[in-house]
Amino acid sequence: MKIVLEHLTKKFPGRNKKSREEVTAVNDFHFEIPDGKLVGLLGPSGCGKSTTLNLICGLQKPTGGRILFGEDDVTNLPPEHRGVGLVFQNYALYPHLTVKKNITFPLENLRGADKLTKTEMERRAYEAAKLVQIEELMERRPGELSGGQQQRVAIARALVKMPRVLLLDEPLSNLDARLRLQTREEIRRIQKQTQITTIFVTHDQDEAMSISDIIVVMKEGVVQQIGKPQDVYDNPVNLFVAKFLGTPPINVFQGTVKKEQLYIGGEAVLTVNGVADQEVSVGIRPEGFVLQEDGPMSCNLSRIEIMGRDISVVSTHKCCEAPSVRSIINAEAKVDTSSETVRFALKPQKLFLFRKETGERIH
Ligand code: ADP
Ligand code: MG
């Protein structure tokens, strides 16, 4: 089922004694999430991700705008009538109940026409448990499970009511690195299998990029960019988005455009047709550097790091925002480590120009 967010806004009253100014946690979020897709909601802590989810599931009321599930306006519907499955960072399982009881718990409270028999509840619990591959653990208690298994129980519990929408709020944050990788693939598999429209919240760009059909990048309550992960990476609309996506992160330099030449430091590094003379921020992806003896851009070589398939050349440049410039080059390339400087040519499609004042992309 598609989810329509129409100019969704949430303001909180100011709590700070000094400033009574209200906080706009979500500001005019306007987007239609297509049916059956997994959307990654991505942004730094405090940007409004959880608030957006709380509005969608009904735990909070919007200050403005509407929410539709399919054609139904659910803006004023209480959470229990929305058909939403929720999973949070802390699995919040009942410690004294078995896995099976934890999973059937949301079904126990169904009343009236929705009321289920015990057999039916168990059947549904086993179905959900099978989906997340914990059917062998049904008689255990949460304390007897690993973090990853506990999170699977939480996911099974969210799925057991056969929700129309699945909302996951940083569900992998409490897991160690390896489990995080494994569980995110599981979530992707389960989502594909069930075709439930899913919103996955994370502050981890790598996580969002790897499992989402669509990513939404947020900053201070405002949506910055929406698109397929690769498209957003290849075509960021502003410096914030460019910096938020990618590991190692994009390298940012102070530059100047003069007569359609881009200068970084004193060097003309690239021809930029059609760009007016101005000061700019230059973003260069690590994979945008090509080692070249007579290349137009020179950096001070610090060291080489071998990362299996690739080589990372770490250098410094006086115009770079960060203490070091990180470039990734093919492992076959030869780097003269005795030299103090290293020269690069730049791949134009991996280099972006941004307005110095606003950070907005210059095309
Ligand atoms: P995220 O999940 O992206 O870390 P949140 O949605 O939790 O961000 O918060 C967004 C902003 O709204 C933050 O500035 C936060 O302090 C504020 N906020 C969230 N919940 C409340 C609340 N109940 N009362 C007041 N301010 C809140
Ligand atoms: Mg949050």
Side-chain angles (χ1 to χ4, degrees):
M1 194 183 47
K2 71 175 181 188
I3 305 173
V4 185
L5 307 180
E6 269 184 17
H7 300 290
L8 199 61
T9 297
K10 177 69 179 178
K11 295 182 178 177
F12 292 110
R15 287 252 183 79
N16 195 327
K17 276 203 184 104
K18 279 187 204 137
S19 98
R20 287 268 163 214
E21 213 176 311
E22 53 188 10
V23 179
T24 308
V26 179
N27 196 346
D28 199 24
F29 198 145
H30 194 71
F31 181 50
E32 182 173 316
I33 297 169
D35 179 33
K37 296 286 183 212
L38 193 159
V39 172
L41 188 53
L42 178 64
S45 176
C47 74
K49 305 181 294 296
S50 295
T51 306
T52 304
L53 279 202
N54 290 341
L55 293 171
I56 296 172
C57 73
L59 289 175
Q60 284 171 344
K61 280 252 147 65
T63 325
R66 294 201 308 161
I67 303 163
L68 292 98
F69 286 0
E71 305 303 321
D72 301 345
D73 185 337
V74 300
T75 318
N76 293 310
L77 210 60
E80 61 274 20
H81 294 138
R82 292 195 186 192
V84 174
L86 267 177
V87 179
F88 296 105
Q89 172 178 347
N90 50 347
Y91 337 112
L93 301 176
Y94 301 104
H96 58 288
L97 298 181
T98 62
V99 167
K100 186 162 72 187
K101 284 277 176 202
N102 264 286
I103 298 174
T104 53
F105 193 83
L107 302 177
E108 311 267 357
N109 298 321
L110 295 177
R111 293 285 172 262
D114 295 332
K115 194 169 161 57
L116 298 175
T117 63
K118 198 159 185 271
T119 328
E120 176 60 11
M121 278 194 254
E122 290 210 352
R123 194 190 61 77
R124 288 233 212 145
Y126 271 96
E127 213 167 84
K130 213 166 147 195
L131 210 49
V132 298
Q133 298 174 341
I134 50 161
E135 66 267 42
E136 275 90 51
L137 307 173
M138 292 298 252
E139 300 309 324
R140 292 205 201 168
R141 280 171 222 283
E144 300 162 340
L145 302 175
S146 71
Q149 290 167 335
Q150 290 185 45
Q151 192 56 299
R152 283 165 197 240
V153 177
I155 296 169
R157 188 176 55 183
L159 291 171
V160 76
K161 276 173 96 175
M162 301 194 251
R164 304 194 281 177
V165 174
L166 185 61
L167 305 176
L168 305 158
D169 195 351
E170 314 234 8
L172 310 180
S173 307
N174 286 354
L175 307 181
D176 65 47
R178 188 180 291 266
L179 254 179
R180 226 167 28 229
L181 273 179
Q182 195 188 333
T183 314
R184 84 183 187 201
E185 280 160 23
E186 289 279 292
I187 289 176
R188 184 57 181 159
R189 178 185 60 76
I190 294 162
Q191 195 276 331
K192 280 225 160 108
Q193 216 170 321
T194 57
Q195 290 286 307
I196 300 175
T197 309
T198 300
I199 306 179
F200 182 98
V201 162
T202 177
H203 62 271
D204 181 340
Q205 57 90 25
D206 190 37
E207 208 165 274
M209 297 275 286
S210 64
I211 70 165
S212 309
D213 295 306
I214 301 167
I215 55 169
V216 176
V217 184
M218 280 182 95
K219 176 194 174 192
E220 292 166 9
V222 181
V223 172
Q224 306 290 301
Q225 191 166 1
I226 299 178
K228 288 185 188 156
Q230 191 67 44
D231 293 347
V232 178
Y233 181 82
D234 290 340
N235 242 321
V237 296
N238 60 34
L239 186 56
F240 175 83
V241 174
K243 281 172 144 177
F244 206 75
L245 301 185
T247 39
I250 197 163
N251 301 283
V252 182
F253 301 87
Q254 295 312 317
T256 312
V257 175
K258 210 169 176 184
K259 295 195 178 128
E260 301 196 323
Q261 288 297 310
L262 170 64
Y263 290 86
I264 297 179
E267 296 169 325
V269 297
L270 199 72
T271 303
V272 285
N273 292 323
V275 180
D277 289 5
Q278 61 192 297
E279 306 268 293
V280 290
S281 297
V282 186
I284 309 174
R285 295 274 183 217
E287 67 275 22
F289 296 86
V290 182
L291 212 53
Q292 191 175 301
E293 254 172 61
D294 59 351
M297 183 168 180
S298 64
C299 297
N300 303 307
L301 182 61
S302 309
R303 63 181 186 280
I304 306 291
E305 290 172 2
I306 315 272
M307 313 187 302
R309 201 158 30 87
D310 303 311
I311 296 180
S312 170
V313 178
V314 184
S315 59
T316 62
H317 192 291
K318 65 175 194 292
C319 297
C320 185
E321 264 190 3
S324 54
V325 180
R326 289 201 162 259
S327 47
I328 293 177
I329 56 171
N330 194 296
E332 273 108 62
K334 290 270 174 296
V335 186
D336 178 5
T337 47
S338 67
S339 174
E340 279 179 16
T341 57
V342 55
R343 301 196 75 91
F344 297 107
L346 303 172
K347 295 182 191 164
Q349 74 277 19
K350 294 287 179 183
L351 181 150
F352 314 116
L353 301 182
F354 303 96
R355 292 201 190 282
K356 203 151 179 219
E357 320 76 54
T358 60
E360 189 192 325
R361 176 91 174 270
I362 304 167
H363 288 278

